[in-house]
Amino acid sequence: MYKLMRPNRLLFLLSLFVCFAISAQDELPLNIDNSKIKPLQKLLDSSLQTNLRDELASHPDWNDLIVQKKMAVGLVDLSDPENVRFARVNGNHMMYAASLPKIAILLAAMDAIEKGELKETSEVKKDMRLMISKSDNSAATRMIDGVGYDKIEAVMIDPKYAFYDEHKGGGLWVGKRYGSGGDTNREPLKNLSHAASVTQVCRYYYLLANGKLVNQKRSKQMLDIMEDPELHHKFVNTLDQIAPAARLFRKSGSWRTYHSDSILVWGKNSNRRYILVALIDDANGEQIIRDLVKPIEKVLKKPVL
């Protein structure tokens, strides 16, 4: 009897291991060995890059904006977490990004909490959620005042992250309160107060998805804060229609003609798992961002060349 049961037991244990491995790749942050997490810039994929460029160029208005460097798009295919693909257009072109860079405040705050520099009170946790989910400017300003410009800058230029690099076009930056008054700390390349590039924002979400912002625990907290956005425009407006069951982690921004959005889409099916970032300087930017989602998903479905 015992000898007959051993193969079944082995098969059971093997099936448990497979289920655990699949589950680990379904949860966020991902639980992937550090040796398999490569720098995003090294995951540029020529096939995805070609398909992305061709798709964007097939829309004359978008192509004109891209040529004028008034539109930048970044895309990360996460359908296979151990074989990530990255593509971007105007990837290192830093632009004014309004409220999108509030993700930099979130990271600086989490870093400060982890190091005992900021107390994790219920008010702080509430403001972090309001700042991200509703893009509340008062909450963002309170968080800026709480951590300080020097802390935000230090985290952005920290070699661990390098989200702002003067030698690579800049990147993520917050140097002004989201309201009137107060000192400023504008970034040095273009004198922007709230800046981003699609490459650096894609890197932010990529590291977040892999649990590498501060640590696994803090990354999970940040994901919880960014999930279920309460503003349903831009990317979210379209995804609400075509992927209502997908988990969405998001931060956007708009001011005058500047429109930006960034999102981690985590569908039940692994074929709809990706990071998408867009920065646009155009009066029609909000609509363009809505219209981007379906063409981008078409790009992701194209076979690898």
Side-chain angles (χ1 to χ4, degrees):
M1 177 75 72
Y2 173 71
K3 288 184 178 180
L4 289 173
M5 288 178 66
R6 285 184 65 191
N8 289 336
R9 185 181 180 191
L10 182 63
L11 184 62
F12 174 73
L13 291 173
L14 182 61
S15 66
L16 276 181
F17 175 78
V18 170
C19 288
F20 175 79
I22 293 172
S23 176
Q25 287 201 342
D26 281 339
E27 293 301 315
L28 289 171
L30 294 164
N31 188 16
I32 295 176
D33 188 87
N34 283 340
S35 64
K36 296 180 180 179
I37 303 173
K38 299 177 181 177
L40 189 61
Q41 295 94 320
K42 293 188 177 181
L43 299 175
L44 282 166
D45 183 89
S46 59
S47 176
L48 187 65
Q49 182 70 33
T50 297
N51 290 336
L52 176 63
R53 284 187 176 276
D54 288 350
E55 179 61 40
L56 295 176
S58 70
H59 301 259
D61 293 345
W62 300 359
N63 190 59
D64 288 345
L65 290 171
I66 289 167
V67 170
Q68 298 172 55
K69 291 192 178 296
K70 290 188 173 185
M71 180 172 177
V73 178
L75 176 63
V76 184
D77 179 5
L78 296 174
S79 57
D80 180 355
E82 295 187 7
N83 292 284
V84 172
R85 301 189 301 152
F86 174 44
R88 74 281 184 269
V89 173
N90 287 331
N92 293 330
H93 181 64
M94 183 173 58
M95 297 172 65
Y96 181 77
S99 288
L100 189 157
K102 289 174 183 175
I103 60 175
I105 308 171
L106 178 63
L107 174 57
M110 282 295 178
D111 186 86
I113 289 169
E114 184 66 18
K115 293 175 179 174
E117 300 165 352
L118 178 68
K119 192 172 181 180
E120 192 175 9
T121 64
S122 58
E123 291 81 7
V124 164
K125 290 191 283 189
K126 181 180 179 181
D127 274 347
M128 287 192 291
R129 173 63 184 174
L130 284 171
M131 172 180 72
I132 298 298
S133 67
K134 289 189 174 181
S135 202
D136 187 282
N137 286 337
S138 296
T141 295
R142 287 192 293 270
M143 292 306 303
I144 291 171
D145 292 344
V147 297
Y149 292 132
D150 288 346
K151 176 65 178 181
I152 298 170
E153 177 179 350
V155 173
M156 292 305 103
I157 66 174
D158 186 335
K160 178 182 178 181
Y161 303 123
F163 287 136
Y164 185 93
D165 187 337
E166 286 190 55
H167 303 292
K168 295 181 180 177
L172 267 174
W173 190 275
V174 173
K176 183 180 181 298
R177 299 162 91 232
Y178 284 90
S180 60
D183 295 334
T184 62
N185 180 39
R186 294 173 181 270
E187 56 80 32
L189 291 180
K190 295 184 178 180
N191 200 39
L192 295 174
S193 56
H194 308 119
S197 67
V198 297
T199 293
Q200 296 293 24
V201 179
C202 282
R203 288 185 60 246
Y204 183 104
Y205 279 86
Y206 171 67
L207 291 172
L208 181 61
N210 280 290
K212 299 305 176 185
L213 292 191
V214 185
N215 54 38
Q216 191 88 356
K217 174 188 172 183
R218 298 300 180 187
S219 290
K220 177 65 167 61
Q221 280 186 270
M222 293 170 69
L223 285 164
D224 289 344
I225 288 168
M226 297 181 74
E227 189 170 10
D228 293 330
E230 296 185 46
L231 300 178
H232 290 254
H233 56 3
K234 299 176 185 168
F235 289 151
V236 176
N237 179 272
T238 302
L239 286 161
D240 280 344
Q241 300 171 42
I242 67 173
R247 298 176 68 190
L248 306 179
F249 307 82
R250 183 276 191 115
K251 185 71 198 81
S252 68
S254 286
W255 185 74
R256 295 184 179 176
T257 61
Y258 294 97
H259 299 274
S260 57
D261 208 350
S262 60
I263 197 162
L264 164 59
V265 179
W266 200 253
K268 289 187 176 181
N269 187 307
S270 63
N271 290 329
R272 181 174 267 144
R273 293 179 180 175
Y274 59 88
I275 296 162
L276 178 58
V277 182
L279 304 173
I280 298 173
D281 176 9
D282 186 81
N284 196 38
E286 202 273 350
Q287 186 62 50
I288 293 172
I289 290 173
R290 290 189 187 201
D291 294 341
L292 261 175
V293 177
K294 290 180 181 179
I296 289 298
E297 292 208 348
K298 184 171 73 172
V299 167
L300 289 168
K301 291 173 183 177
K302 289 187 176 181
V304 178
L305 300 175

